[in-house]
Amino acid sequence: MTEQEAPYLLVGLGNPGREYRETRHNVGFMVIDRISKSSGIPIGKVQAKALIGMGQVEGSRLIIAKPQTFMNLSGQAVSGLMRFYKVPVAHLLVAHDDLDLPFGTLRLRPDGGSAGQKGMASIIQQLGSQEFARLRVGIGRPPGQMDPSAYVLQTFARDELITLDVLLDHTLAAVKLFIRQGIQAAMNNFNGPVEK
């Protein structure tokens, strides 16, 4: 199998469990759900400590995954799926929330550190590499003196839901472009705030 023929793996980071479902920290799972719904890829199979789905997007095989470990052990699922499906690092894209980006902003990057995101730190450690693409979804900083760890476990405010919907549509388009043309094209087209 050539790298061209190899599947793509899109991983969304979040915490499993109903109580976390709508929280800011689970925006990575929301990205996966949006792609699942729009591309008709059902998620239901459990493999390598993740809920996964498989289908065709932009003419390539795509595996979408929501690790079912807690956030700080996400790397176990990612490394297991990459080994099993022989996914090259160039075909991995990890979507996660980012406190340091204003709400309503996307930032794709080809590589980099974890920026304090525990799920990303776990993936970097398990893969032994930082050289994989990521899709950072801005959730903004907590208001006032609020503890960031409490803030990320809050649900989005009602007036944020329209922007969230637009944001998730942008992530879908960014993922498709990443598969079609690579990380640079996705960065050029989608880095920055989404229009309200």
Side-chain angles (χ1 to χ4, degrees), residues 12-89:
L13 299 186
N15 282 314
R18 185 162 293 160
E19 69 271 33
Y20 299 111
R21 186 175 293 162
E22 306 294 329
T23 64
R24 296 172 195 278
H25 215 18
N26 271 32
V27 86
F29 279 10
M30 295 176 197
V31 171
I32 298 295
D33 290 339
R34 182 61 56 101
I35 284 164
S36 165
K37 193 173 168 189
S38 71
S39 302
I41 301 175
I43 302 169
K45 184 177 172 184
V46 178
Q47 186 176 354
K49 300 181 182 172
L51 274 171
I52 72 163
M54 272 180 280
Q56 291 279 327
V57 171
E58 298 297 314
S60 292
R61 223 159 40 109
L62 176 65
I63 301 151
I64 53 177
K66 300 199 285 194
Q68 295 299 290
T69 59
F70 278 93
M71 185 75 84
N72 60 349
L73 297 172
S74 301
Q76 294 176 359
V78 177
S79 61
L81 290 169
M82 286 183 73
R83 277 196 305 273
F84 187 84
Y85 290 104
K86 298 181 172 54
V87 177
V89 175

Side-chain angles (χ1 to χ4, degrees), residues 73-135:
L73 297 172
S74 301
Q76 294 176 359
V78 177
S79 61
L81 290 169
M82 286 183 73
R83 277 196 305 273
F84 187 84
Y85 290 104
K86 298 181 172 54
V87 177
V89 175
H91 285 199
L92 171 65
L93 180 62
V94 180
H96 66 89
D97 61 295
D98 194 315
L99 278 165
D100 294 322
L101 287 178
F103 175 61
T105 303
L106 289 184
R107 183 159 304 149
L108 290 109
R109 294 193 53 189
D111 52 30
S114 68
Q117 218 280 0
K118 291 185 169 71
M120 290 302 289
S122 171
I123 295 168
I124 289 166
Q125 185 204 356
Q126 287 280 332
L127 297 183
S129 171
Q130 299 185 357
E131 308 289 314
F132 59 89
R134 58 282 314 261
L135 171 56

Side-chain angles (χ1 to χ4, degrees), residues 144-159:
Q145 299 296 308
M146 187 178 197
D147 179 10
S149 57
Y151 175 72
V152 298
L153 295 179
Q154 279 189 337
T155 56
F156 287 95
R158 180 167 294 184
D159 64 351

